Amino acid sequence: MRLMSQSLGTTQNGILTIGGVSVPDLAKEYGTPLFILDEGYIRTACRAFNNTLKKHYDGNVMIAYASKAMSFTALYRLLEEEGMAADVVSGGELFTAMRAGFPAGKIFFHGNNKTAAELEYALQCGVYRFVVDNREELSLLDRIAGRMGKTADISFRIKPGIDAHTHEFITTGKIDSKFGVALENGEALDIVRESLTLKNVNLKGVHCHIGSQIFDTEPFELAVKVLMQFLSDIKRELGYTISELNLGGGFGIQYIESHDPPELAVVAETIAHAVTKCSAELGIPLPDLVLEPGRSIIAPSGITVYTIGSVKEIPGICNYVAVDGGMTDNPRYALYGAIYNAILPERANDECTTTVTIAGRCCESGDLISKDVALPAAHAGELLAVLATGAYNYSMASNYNRLPKPPVVMVADGTYRLVVRRETYDDIVKCDV
C-alpha cells in the first residue's frame, strides 16, 4: 500500500518506520495507544509556507500555526525555532504557548465566544492580535482594555459567503455560520465603522476562514478577491486603510489514497499571486499577508499506534478489528464521518486481502475509527497504525469511560523523545473533590 507520507518507510522485513525509527520498537517502549509525530515533517511544512510566501510576495508575511490542530509545549518551542506565529482559540491554548515561552507578540487570539477572563489574560500577555468575532466581543474588549489602560490591536473575522465544498460541520465561510460577521448584509462594514469610534481598540486587519480539507486553490483565490474588494470599500467609504489580510487555513491533506491535495508551496504561491494582482487592480497597498495552516502542517506527520484486541467477522456484513483506543483518542469519525488509512506495522509489506471496520473500546456503537479499511488478515495481539492522525486527535482526546489519554512521542532522523507522558488513573481523578 502507499504510505502517503515521506515520514513513513519500511524495512526489508516489513517493519514500519517513522522518521527513521521502528514503530514496533516505540510501541514496545511506550505502550499503546501511542501518538507519534515526525518532527522533520513539521519543520519541512513550516518552511514550505514561509519560504514560498517570502519568495512570491513583496509585502510582509506571517504564518500562524493553528493551535487547535495540536497543542503542547514542545510543539510551540519547535514552531518558534521555525519562525512561525501561532493562533489560539482559548485561554488554555494561550496558557500552553506562554508556558512554552512562545512570544505573545506572535499570537493571534481567535474564538467566537471569548470570555471576559480570557480577554483580560490575553491583554496581560500582550498578544499580537485579537480576531474579533462579533459586536458584543468588540464592546467587551474595548471596556476591558480601557479599564486596564491598554489598547487592543484587532482584526475582524469576516464571512465572505464562499462555499468551499467541504463537510457541512467544517464549512465556516458561508453566511449561515456561528463564526464572524457577514459581508452580504452590510454587517461587516458596520462593525468596522463602529470600531473606528472606540478609544481602546486599534483596527489592523480582516480575517476569514472558508472551510477545512480544501483540495482546490480556486476557493482561496475567490476569498482573496472578495476580501481585497472589502478593503477597497473600507478605504473608499470610511477613508481607512486596513494593513493586514488574514486568509486563515483549511488546506487539505491526504487521508486516503484517492485524496489529491495540492502541494503546500503551490497553495501559498497561488494566494500570494492573487493578493498581488488584486492590489494592483484595485489600487490599494499590499497588505501584510497572514495564513493559518494547522492540519496541513501537523496531520501528515503523525500516526496513532494501537494493539488489536479482537477480530470479529460477521459473514456478509462486516469485519470488525477492535483496538485498545477509540473515540477517546480519535473522535473524528463519530463527529463527522472522517476516514483514514491504516497499516499493520509488523507486516507493513503484506498484501491487503480484507476490508475491515476499525472499532474502538468505548461503550458506544458509534465508537469507530474508520470504515472500509484495506488490511492484511489481522489477528489479536498485533499492532495497528492509523495514518495521518497528527491533527484533531490528541487535541480532541477525552477521558470518556475514564480512559487515560495516550502519550505523544516525537521522532527526528532516527532519534525520539517523549513530549507528552501517558495519563494515569491518578491524573483522571486529580480534580475530583
Side-chain angles (χ1 to χ4, degrees), residues 123-142:
L123 283 164
Q124 290 172 344
C125 292
V127 300
Y128 175 74
R129 189 78 73 242
F130 291 86
V131 183
V132 174
D133 184 87
N134 53 69
R135 272 193 168 85
E136 286 77 11
E137 181 187 340
L138 176 64
S139 177
L140 179 61
L141 179 59
D142 181 63

Side-chain angles (χ1 to χ4, degrees), residues 1 3 7-25 343-350:
M1 64 173 291
L3 296 177
S7 298
L8 302 177
T10 59
T11 65
Q12 287 185 341
N13 58 346
I15 299 299
L16 181 69
T17 63
I18 180 169
V21 180
S22 163
V23 170
D25 285 352
I343 194 169
L344 302 181
E346 296 153 308
R347 296 191 285 130
N349 294 333
D350 282 15

